[in-house]
């Protein structure tokens, strides 16, 4: 007969049972002891499959106290409802219904103007709130070195900057090159204005008009397309036609994703 051996560990030292949480589709958790965070897309045979915001999937065992939910240790259990096709955000990430915005990080993403900020919010807003990343606009980058110095970037407060018309030899490229902090990432797109980062097909036009140098680009676009010369109203029309990342040029998509990675690393 097996001899009974009592547990003499003091009660206050014993690990408390972790709450059990059903691994329902869309639930966002972190793998304990790592920085991998993802939404549940499948749960079967004692494992759970998580998908991060980049679409990368990994399979983990359903071990006790194996995950964190909003920072608290939990034990995932079999789901209470059948998995369904995951909803997606405008950026293509897995949607997280009911997710609360994370407390804002010290890091920031700066963009040049209000239109840039509104377009980033339109497509990446859900992701940025979950990651706790704030986007601010600068109204130009002529004073970028001073702006960066005032922000005082650090490893725990990284700064990402999106610049329009960042091409070799441009004024913008020379300004960007003057910022050398390792905690600052400057990326951009080749377009004169962020309007051009919206695919022409999304607006029902064949291509963006060519505006002669020296002319106001936005006004020239409105004239060429037969739109009223009200650039504010024109932008609202353009923005209304953007429903997801599929309506944007790949150059802008890659730049913004790179900035999010940098700030959240």
């Amino acid at each position: 007969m097996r001899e009974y051996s009592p547990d003499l560990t003091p009660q206050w030292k014993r690990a408390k049972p972790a709450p059990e949480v059903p691994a329902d589709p869309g639930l966002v958790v972190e793998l304990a002891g790592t920085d991998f965070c993802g939404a549940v897309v499948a749960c079967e045979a004692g494992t759970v499959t998580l998908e991060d915001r980049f679409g990368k999937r990994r399979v983990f065992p359903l071990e006790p106290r194996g995950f964190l939910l909003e920072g608290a240790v939990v034990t995932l259990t079999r789901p209470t409802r059948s998995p369904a096709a995951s909803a997606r955000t405008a950026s293509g990430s897995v949607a997280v219904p009911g997710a609360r915005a994370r407390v804002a990080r010290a890091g920031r993403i700066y963009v040049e103007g209000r239109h840039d900020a509104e377009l980033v919010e339109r497509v990446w807003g859900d992701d940025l709130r979950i990651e706790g990343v704030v986007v601010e606009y600068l109204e130009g980058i002529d004073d970028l070195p001073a702006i960066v110095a005032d922000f005082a970037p650090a490893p725990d407060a990284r700064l990402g900057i999106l610049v329009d018309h960042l091409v070799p030899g441009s004024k913008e490229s020379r300004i960007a090159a003057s910022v050398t902090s390792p905690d600052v990432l400057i990326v951009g797109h080749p377009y004169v204005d962020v309007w051009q980062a919206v695919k022409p097909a999304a607006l029902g036009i064949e291509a963006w008009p060519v505006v002669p140098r020296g002319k106001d680009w936005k006004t020239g676009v409105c004239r060429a397309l037969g739109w009223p010369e009200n650039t504010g109203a024109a932008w609202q029309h353009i923005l209304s036609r953007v429903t997801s990342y599929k309506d944007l040029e790949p150059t802008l998509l890659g730049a913004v994703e790179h900035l999010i990675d940098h700030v959240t690393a």
Side-chain angles (χ1 to χ4, degrees):
M1 179 181 295
R2 184 176 178 181
E3 184 177 348
Y4 171 69
S5 177
D7 184 357
L8 300 179
T9 305
Q11 185 68 33
W12 62 273
K13 283 190 176 182
R14 298 178 188 176
K16 295 181 180 180
E20 294 188 349
V21 178
D24 289 332
L27 179 73
V28 175
V29 295
E30 297 178 47
L31 182 66
T34 75
D35 59 359
F36 186 87
C37 179
V40 173
V41 294
C43 184
E44 55 188 2
T47 64
V48 62
T49 302
L50 303 181
E51 180 176 305
D52 68 12
R53 65 187 180 87
F54 303 109
K56 181 180 179 181
R57 295 188 177 190
R58 293 178 61 182
V59 180
F60 304 103
L62 287 176
E63 296 180 343
R65 305 176 64 85
F67 299 88
L68 301 180
L69 177 61
E70 296 183 354
V73 176
V74 298
T75 296
L76 292 186
T77 61
R78 294 295 298 271
T80 57
R81 62 181 186 271
S82 300
S86 299
R88 297 279 173 171
T89 66
S91 71
S93 301
V94 176
V96 186
R100 292 180 295 179
R102 179 177 292 180
V103 175
R105 296 173 182 268
R108 290 287 187 274
I109 291 178
Y110 286 168
V111 297
E112 282 204 48
R114 181 170 59 85
H115 294 180
D116 306 69
E118 290 176 345
L119 188 59
V120 170
E121 164 62 26
R122 182 86 171 188
V123 175
W124 288 273
D126 290 337
D127 303 338
L128 292 168
R129 279 182 284 279
I130 290 177
E131 294 291 347
V133 176
V134 175
V135 175
E136 301 178 10
Y137 67 90
L138 302 174
E139 297 183 344
I141 63 165
D142 288 349
D143 297 322
L144 190 60
I147 291 171
V148 171
D150 184 63
F151 180 85
D156 60 347
R158 293 184 170 193
L159 181 60
I161 304 169
L162 179 68
V163 176
D164 297 341
H165 198 228
L166 191 61
V167 296
S170 67
K171 177 191 75 172
E172 292 80 2
S173 67
R174 292 191 293 273
I175 294 173
S178 67
V179 177
T180 58
S181 169
D183 299 308
V184 177
L185 174 66
I186 300 177
V187 298
H189 55 73
Y191 311 115
V192 174
D193 191 274
V194 77
W195 288 20
Q196 285 183 295
V198 178
K199 291 180 178 178
L203 299 169
I205 60 177
E206 292 186 4
W208 284 100
V210 176
V211 178
R213 294 189 64 177
K215 302 291 185 180
D216 181 75
W217 188 85
K218 293 177 181 176
T219 302
V221 166
C222 290
R223 289 175 181 170
L225 294 177
W227 295 349
E229 293 182 21
N230 181 331
T231 57
W235 169 244
Q236 291 307 313
H237 168 68
I238 295 168
L239 188 62
S240 72
R241 303 302 294 270
V242 176
T243 59
S244 78
Y245 70 97
K246 296 178 182 179
D247 297 318
L248 301 183
E249 297 289 356
T251 305
L252 179 65
L253 294 175
V256 175
E257 292 288 351
H258 198 181
L259 291 177
I260 295 174
D261 287 347
H262 172 73
V263 174
T264 60

